[in-house]
Amino acid sequence: MRRFISIVVACLSCHAWAADADYHLTPLAVADGVYAFVGEQADFNPSNGGNIVNTGFIVGTEGVIVIDTGPSRQYGEQMRAAIARITPKPIALVINTHHHPDHFLGNQAFADTPIGALAGTRKGITTEGDAFAENLFRLTGSWMSGTELKAPDQILQAGPLKAGGRSLILLAMKGHTDADLAVFDADSATLFAGDLVFNLRAPTTPHAHLEHWKDTLRALDAFMTTQRVRVLVPGHGPIARNAAPIAWTRDWLTWLDTSLREAAADGLDMNETLTRPLPEVYRNIPVAGAEYRRSVGHLFPAAEAGALQPNN
Amino acid sequence: MIKLTSALACALLLANITPLPTQAAERPSDPLASPRWGDMEKGILSGATYVFDARVKVEAPDTAENPLNVPITIDATGLSDVKEILVFADFNPILEILRFYPDAAPAYLGFRVKLQQSTPVRAAVRTGDGVWHIGGTLVNTVGGGCTAPSMGATSPEWQKRLNEVTTRTWNEGPMSGRLRMRIIHPMDTGLIPGIPPFHIESVVLSDEAGRPLARLEVSQPVSENPVFTLNRGSTTGTLNARGRDNNGNTFNVRIPQ
């Protein structure tokens, strides 16, 4: 059966099959001992192999902390090889910030190391991970070959965490999903925000709760000030040295929320809401149109239900 | 993995089938070039007279991000004397989606549907002379990134609120005459093992005097918690909406103007 599946996958994606499945991962030094791999600002497709995400690692005195593992087994393996070119130290801990596929499907490459996540993230990976992987197979093709679910084996809690000889603060939050982890490296004042923060790239909302998300962004903004955060690594989009990406994400979510409620109150149905033009400010933002349309699918039914009234 | 295999096999099948040539000169050729059109012609239209007609507008996104909730808008207001609108999808396991009888209402309807795979979605509109006018659009159901739906993730909300109806009407501005109605219902297709078909079967809208404004015969592919968008046309005053599902559960509500 497995053999049949690989043949089918190969046929479907001959163009990608022939190409080398090399993500060309180059670690970008963002602070002392802190590196990020910055993904493309695009949708999942057969030419990027799902590399649309920012991942990273922190080199401690005793070992390395890996933050998210990318969209496929091959990404994970290539990430691990790229880390080994920077440091010979062992991987002390892998962290999955949340349960979306571009953040954990590289876990297989780290099967011999502890993989930690919030309890809700582990649950999401276990219940929805296979469906995500199937979807990524369809969207990216052979880049995904050999990718199988590897769930986190450690549950992380909010608060300080010593790993690899490095002092971290874990922030357990929600809004982008029901369980979102932000990781703060105290020594370098770097905050890995996961997908709680997008920068100049339209946020994704398949499991979003907009009110929770906006509350979380307020808390992150305050954290940036109190901890004097110097580097902010968003889940998608360019790395920043200020809190601007937090405001950017908040502004998008506020616009999205207001816009969907207004559409529902005006009597628009989903097709009419889908074809509304984006505001000027978002027209040149990567994948803004596609993410807006997806968000209408995710969030408009609730906005619409809120606009209708009971009868008797 | 089984699910993946069958999804891929279907994709392969679709990719490899070339549209059949038009069989006979008098047969209109399908503008959507669907290999299933011959079956639709026989099974759905039962050999009745039909024409492909651009005045029947079927609107849907080219790519449906969530195949469980694909918005469809049917607008046949360019035709006169519309008696019945039959909506179907060539490649759905249950072909028929709904029948809409716009008795005293404009031939306009919005709703959402569950699609199993990429497919034409069509509206066959029967006018008073007995001719079916066919319009349609192709919907691609390849999902978007994190948007893989979970078939089992339906909300338990319906157990407490089955057949609860919420509505709203718009009486001025660009949406004047519009009526939107949402009914809480799981709309189970019966295709998932262990879950029998359980769906709304009929909805009747009538005016204060009891004259029908519009009627719907609803099948399983209509999305969970259906939302219908209609236009009340020149009918004023309070409306009545009543309906039932295939298990005999009913609703009956008044909709103030």
Side-chain angles (χ1 to χ4, degrees), chain B residues 3-4 33 60 73 97 119 139 165-166 173 175 183 222 224 230 238:
Chain B
K3 240 165 58 189
L4 172 65
T73 308
I97 297 167
T119 178
V139 182
V165 180
T166 52
M175 295 300 161
I183 308 157
V222 170
E224 178 178 353
L230 299 100
T238 299

Side-chain angles (χ1 to χ4, degrees), chain A residues 20 57 110 217:
Chain A
D20 64 335
F57 63 98
F110 301 93
L217 289 172

Side-chain angles (χ1 to χ4, degrees), chain A residues 131-180:
Chain A
F132 289 150
E134 281 182 26
N135 208 29
L136 271 194
F137 261 108
R138 281 194 293 126
L139 295 169
T140 69
S142 61
W143 294 86
M144 291 290 293
S145 75
T147 303
E148 279 174 23
L149 197 63
K150 169 85 182 86
D153 48 28
Q154 299 205 354
I155 300 301
L156 300 175
Q157 314 282 349
L161 175 74
K162 199 88 173 166
R166 201 92 173 184
S167 299
L168 306 176
I169 299 174
L170 301 185
L171 305 173
M173 304 178 123
K174 59 183 176 179
H176 176 66
T177 68
D178 280 341
D180 298 293

